[in-house]
Amino acid sequence: MRENFLWGGATAANQCEGGWKEGNRGIGTVDMIPWGENRLPVMQGEKDYRQLPEDSYYPSREAIDMYNHYKEDIALFAEMGFKCYRFSFSWSRIFPTGEEEKANEEGLKFYEDFIDELLKYGIEPVVTICHFDMPLALVEKYDSWKNRKVIDCFVKYCDAIFRRFRDKVTYWITFNEINMLLHLPFMGAGIRFSEGENEMQVKYQAAHNELVASAMATRLAHQINPDFKIGCMLAAGNFYPFSCNPKDVWESIKKDRDNYFFIDVQARGEYPAYAKKMFEREGIKLETGPEDDEILKEHTVDFISFSYYSSRCVSTAEEAITESTSGNVMKSVKNPYLKESEWGWQIDPLGLRVTLNTLYDRYQKPLFIVENGLGAVDRLEEDGSIIDDYRINYLEEHIKAMIEAVDEDGVDLLGYTPWGCIDLVSASTGEMKKRYGFIYVDKDNEGNGSLKRSRKKSFDWYKNVIASNGAVLKESGS
Ligand code: BG6
């Protein structure tokens, strides 16, 4: 691997920061997403958060309280030898309602201290500007990204953070998993549906507004600091055809396009032909501004970041479709060649190499793996230790596939930040029990626990991987 390869870890404010009422922060959409049976309908925009029972529990309001523990957490990341750390800003911490004239100084100061702490250890910050959270006021007043007005609010937010952190941050990611807007519209983009609304029209209008906002942010970023590197972010994982039946192959191409659509615009600067035809077929008419095409064309991203947990599989045959994977918001037929996690996510390390190659062939821009990992139940031994060999095995296999893509296929890769390097709230289920971390956090699904941090077995393992720049995996022949 290259000398300056960015080994690190990733988290997001919405799942670890907490402090929902501290530092003059405004309410964010994530504060209204409950744990339990109502979670999915709220995230999908099908159920209104205002109609939830009073005793609902909202796990992200406190999360793992990184707001008050960040110094301790960053010290642990430094101990593992992190070269970079991906995290997100909470938009409503900086603009509590999204519309203030001036940014909330307490919010900016919090992130400044946070970034200074990273820089103290030589850890490069990688900032996601919008990760599954936005000021609730923008949802209530404008119906979120359905309305172009929110583009201006986003650009104002970007302006404040780009100027404040002009000399401290280089890597920025505009929207986390932008394609998740299609699957979890409220969580992804604050979208709720009213009865009779054409959901496809709403989703693609919101997508257009986000794509324009992302391009405008890219333009602004390069004006403020030409050295800034701006990335888009995709929930990746190729769709495999279940069989070599040409119908399955064609179906897999169509499914992949639903996801690539976003990156095609952000990396190539225009709507792909297949999307324009799909809009015609579906009767989707986008409200656009006179300069949108030019902005999209002129301000494409510098790098492409993505999350990879699993490949997906698609079939046109009825009998195959009945066997679909559970626990994953993007529907997939079960692939008989793969094992699965306790949450039904199929495990496919070679699929990471496939994804890296596909994305690099398609875009020829530097890539960045900003999420990968295994959500698993950890069991405390009598002495309090956690022997998470299952997590080590998962990561080891994926890192090996990543190294092959770089060393043998020539993919240009900036870095690797496994997800949830410290345990945090699961986005899909709201659980604490679904853990990804090298660092254990004492907290359970109902919110009980001391929040005490401790090192798992994988902590030392990852430390060695980083220290050897991945070589330790090759030597062990594992
Ligand atoms: C990605 C998100 O979808 O996957 C993260 O960007 C999320 O926010 C991660 O946490 C893992 O998913 P989950 O549902 O296991 O938390």
Side-chain angles (χ1 to χ4, degrees):
M1 302 301 280
R2 58 162 68 127
E3 265 305 294
N4 56 356
F5 187 74
L6 291 171
W7 296 97
T11 63
N14 71 317
Q15 288 157 262
C16 70
E17 194 175 280
W20 75 302
K21 287 206 166 152
E22 293 184 66
N24 211 12
R25 177 182 177 279
I27 308 285
T29 45
V30 74
D31 301 324
M32 310 314 286
I33 301 182
W35 175 56
E37 59 180 23
N38 287 318
R39 187 172 182 87
L40 193 61
V42 170
M43 293 196 299
Q44 288 172 326
E46 305 295 345
K47 182 158 202 157
D48 199 310
Y49 57 85
R50 289 168 299 191
Q51 293 159 2
L52 297 176
E54 267 185 25
D55 60 353
S56 299
Y57 168 56
Y58 300 90
S60 286
R61 292 182 177 183
E62 180 192 58
I64 59 160
D65 193 26
M66 195 183 260
Y67 187 75
N68 293 301
H69 289 73
Y70 72 91
K71 288 194 178 165
E72 178 188 349
D73 296 341
I74 291 172
L76 288 165
F77 301 153
E79 193 182 323
M80 272 188 280
F82 278 19
K83 310 281 183 219
C84 78
Y85 173 52
R86 173 185 177 231
F87 62 107
S88 72
F89 287 174
S90 155
W91 184 349
S92 60
R93 197 174 281 298
I94 296 180
F95 284 97
T97 67
E99 288 203 285
E100 288 74 7
E101 281 270 301
K102 280 187 67 193
N104 169 30
E105 178 53 32
E106 268 189 88
L108 287 173
K109 181 75 174 73
F110 168 71
Y111 289 119
E112 183 152 46
D113 292 346
F114 194 105
I115 289 168
D116 285 345
E117 196 67 16
L118 291 169
L119 297 176
K120 180 172 110 185
Y121 294 104
I123 301 175
E124 177 87 47
V126 177
V127 176
T128 313
I129 300 170
C130 188
H131 190 132
F132 292 170
D133 194 18
M134 64 189 290
L136 192 69
L138 294 179
V139 172
E140 306 210 317
K141 190 161 170 194
Y142 298 115
D143 241 344
S144 185
W145 287 99
K146 290 182 191 175
N147 192 324
R148 281 184 75 90
K149 175 81 184 125
V150 175
I151 300 178
D152 302 335
C153 300
F154 181 77
V155 173
K156 184 166 65 168
Y157 163 44
C158 289
D159 187 72
I161 56 178
F162 290 161
R163 288 184 198 284
R164 181 66 166 247
F165 303 114
R166 189 185 170 279
D167 302 316
K168 296 189 176 188
V169 175
T170 300
Y171 294 96
W172 302 90
I173 294 167
T174 51
F175 292 97
N176 179 65
E177 294 191 336
I178 190 163
N179 51 323
M180 222 24 107
L181 183 159
L182 299 179
H183 309 280
L184 298 173
F186 184 74
M187 170 161 263
I191 294 167
R192 297 167 298 175
F193 298 106
S194 31
E195 240 187 85
E197 209 166 23
N198 177 344
E199 295 196 3
M200 287 274 274
Q201 168 71 37
V202 169
K203 286 181 188 175
Y204 280 100
Q205 182 63 57
H208 177 77
N209 294 343
E210 282 199 358
L211 290 167
V212 171
S214 177
M216 286 171 82
T218 306
R219 173 173 67 184
L220 181 67
H222 291 146
Q223 283 163 357
I224 292 175
N225 183 349
D227 293 333
F228 275 173
K229 302 277 178 240
I230 311 298
C232 53
M233 199 306 199
L234 171 76
N238 286 45
F239 273 95
Y240 300 158
F242 186 74
S243 76
C244 53
N245 181 336
K247 286 185 183 164
D248 285 359
V249 176
W250 178 233
E251 200 57 30
S252 71
I253 291 175
K254 288 198 291 183
K255 285 282 189 193
D256 275 339
R257 281 177 168 177
D258 288 346
N259 294 320
Y260 293 142
F261 159 76
F262 295 86
I263 312 305
D264 284 353
V265 179
Q266 289 177 294
R268 294 167 163 168
E270 58 192 10
Y271 277 80
Y274 65 81
K276 291 182 189 161
K277 287 287 174 193
M278 185 269 283
F279 291 167
E280 268 173 42
R281 266 195 317 276
E282 299 290 334
I284 294 171
K285 291 204 172 57
L286 298 182
E287 182 207 332
T288 59
E291 291 174 0
D292 288 5
D293 286 350
E294 196 186 324
I295 292 168
L296 293 174
K297 188 77 203 163
E298 298 289 316
H299 305 286
T300 55
V301 290
D302 301 308
F303 68 93
I304 291 158
S305 71
F306 66 92
S307 61
Y308 175 84
Y309 294 91
S310 183
S311 56
R312 312 173 207 285
C313 190
V314 65
S315 170
T316 50
E318 290 279 327
E319 49 301 353
I321 296 170
T322 51
E323 270 285 283
S324 66
T325 60
S326 59
N328 202 327
V329 286
M330 236 184 265
K331 286 224 157 28
S332 168
V333 170
K334 233 180 217 177
N335 182 333
Y337 297 98
L338 303 176
K339 296 203 177 98
E340 61 186 28
S341 77
E342 289 160 289
W343 273 265
W345 293 22
Q346 292 201 284
I347 300 173
D348 180 14
L350 183 55
L352 176 58
R353 186 171 177 182
V354 172
T355 298
L356 280 161
N357 276 277
T358 313
L359 289 174
Y360 196 55
D361 287 352
R362 195 172 178 108
Y363 302 116
Q364 285 106 37
K365 294 209 181 206
L367 305 180
F368 201 153
I369 304 172
V370 294
E371 287 185 33
N372 173 233
L374 179 73
V377 179
D378 288 328
R379 286 170 193 86
L380 288 162
E381 302 293 315
E382 270 183 19
D383 63 356
S385 62
I386 291 153
I387 308 182
D388 54 344
D389 288 320
Y390 36 90
R391 182 167 296 110
I392 294 175
N393 291 340
Y394 177 101
L395 292 170
E396 199 160 76
E397 291 306 311
H398 284 76
I399 294 174
K400 271 179 61 188
M402 167 183 94
I403 292 176
E404 281 165 358
V406 172
D407 287 355
E408 292 174 32
D409 310 329
V411 168
D412 182 3
L413 186 65
L414 296 168
Y416 176 72
T417 58
W419 176 249
C421 47
I422 179 166
D423 291 345
L424 38 63
V425 175
S426 158
S428 58
T429 69
E431 292 166 296
M432 274 303 299
K433 189 170 112 184
K434 190 180 187 192
R435 297 172 184 274
Y436 288 85
F438 304 113
I439 301 164
Y440 184 83
V441 178
D442 177 30
K443 186 166 183 180
D444 68 15
N445 286 352
E446 286 85 20
N448 309 304
S450 64
L451 295 174
K452 187 175 167 291
R453 277 67 168 150
S454 55
R455 298 165 187 78
K456 304 182 193 175
K457 183 177 176 187
S458 55
F459 184 98
D460 286 327
W461 168 83
Y462 192 45
K463 184 176 173 178
N464 284 332
V465 171
I466 297 178
S468 69
N469 201 14
V472 75
L473 299 183
K474 283 188 173 173
E475 282 157 22
S476 71
S478 52

